[in-house]
Amino acid sequence: MAPRVPDEIDVFTAPHSRMKELVNIYTQKMQCVDFRDGPEVVSLLRGLDSTLREFKSHESIENIFIMDQLKNRLKQRQITNTAVCDCHGDNRLADVVQVLKTGIGVRQSSIGERLRFGLRLQRAFDDFVSNFIPHMEEEEQVFQPLLVEHFEYEELKILKEVVLKEHELV
Ligand code: FEO
């Protein structure tokens, strides 16, 4: 395990705490919701839609403010790191979004259709989570040390402030 970096230059842990909180909330909700109950499913989908947008926004913020900066710095130093090049290339979040879209009109569906939809949604969400948790660990364990290696302390302090602001965590 990589050594913990000082909090003021740790760009991943705080946003990831929020992401993990959302993962836990929706993992639980997904297990408890009764997919036979139309209004209950509609309410789940509304909340999930906004949560998936938050995951997507997290990914975009990292791409723009962290990964692109890291890629540029490595390029300047003529260092190749393929993990940095495609760290958000996996499309399992897009898969959940796709399944969720098929739930439009679920209120009018038959109970059987709602149950089948529920299974598809649970599977897609579980698949996303099983990839997202190790992905966040990789960012903390691999990319944070790379940032420390290739950026000045003051640069990382500013970067962390920007990242928190973009996540609306300050
Ligand atoms: Fe922090 Fe790329 O998820």
Side-chain angles (χ1 to χ4, degrees):
M1 185 182 275
R4 280 249 327 131
V5 296
D7 185 57
E8 61 184 358
I9 60 163
D10 179 349
V11 300
F12 289 112
T13 301
H16 285 177
S17 293
R18 169 68 181 156
M19 297 304 117
K20 286 171 192 169
E21 182 189 13
L22 290 172
V23 163
N24 289 338
I25 289 170
Y26 276 89
T27 299
Q28 197 157 11
K29 280 188 189 232
M30 210 79 85
Q31 285 163 359
C32 296
V33 69
D34 181 357
F35 279 95
R36 291 168 301 184
D37 184 323
E40 205 178 310
V41 178
V42 169
S43 163
L44 172 81
L45 296 188
R46 274 201 200 112
L48 184 59
D49 182 53
S50 121
T51 295
L52 296 180
R53 286 173 204 272
E54 203 167 327
F55 290 146
K56 188 68 199 162
S57 167
H58 170 67
E59 191 179 287
S60 300
I61 293 165
E62 287 182 339
N63 281 341
I64 295 166
F65 296 98
I66 303 176
M67 297 308 169
D68 285 355
Q69 308 302 321
L70 183 55
K71 272 187 230 171
N72 287 340
R73 187 61 57 92
L74 293 178
K75 196 174 166 191
Q76 283 166 5
R77 297 182 175 185
Q78 299 183 323
I79 296 167
T80 306
N81 186 318
T82 50
V84 180
C85 293
D86 196 23
C87 111
H88 293 120
D90 190 274
N91 62 0
R92 279 174 239 203
L93 177 56
D95 291 344
V96 189
V97 173
Q98 277 308 113
V99 175
L100 187 138
K101 278 183 186 161
T102 68
I104 294 170
V106 75
R107 199 176 191 141
Q108 284 79 38
S109 308
S110 69
I111 288 178
E113 283 168 334
R114 272 204 298 275
L115 288 173
R116 280 192 291 280
F117 166 73
L119 264 181
R120 282 205 317 279
L121 186 64
Q122 280 167 328
R123 281 192 193 129
F125 188 75
D126 288 349
D127 199 28
F128 161 69
V129 170
S130 68
N131 185 64
F132 190 40
I133 298 295
H135 163 76
M136 288 192 281
E137 276 168 18
E138 184 189 23
E139 288 175 334
E140 292 166 22
Q141 299 297 323
V142 177
F143 296 153
Q144 180 70 54
L146 269 175
L147 290 167
V148 171
E149 191 181 339
H150 294 285
F151 285 78
E152 299 298 328
Y153 196 93
E154 286 305 311
E155 287 181 298
L156 291 180
K157 270 175 73 176
I158 294 166
L159 182 58
K160 175 165 183 182
E161 283 169 20
V162 171
V163 166
L164 290 189
K165 201 169 167 207
E166 290 294 320
H167 281 90
E168 298 179 8
L169 289 172
V170 282

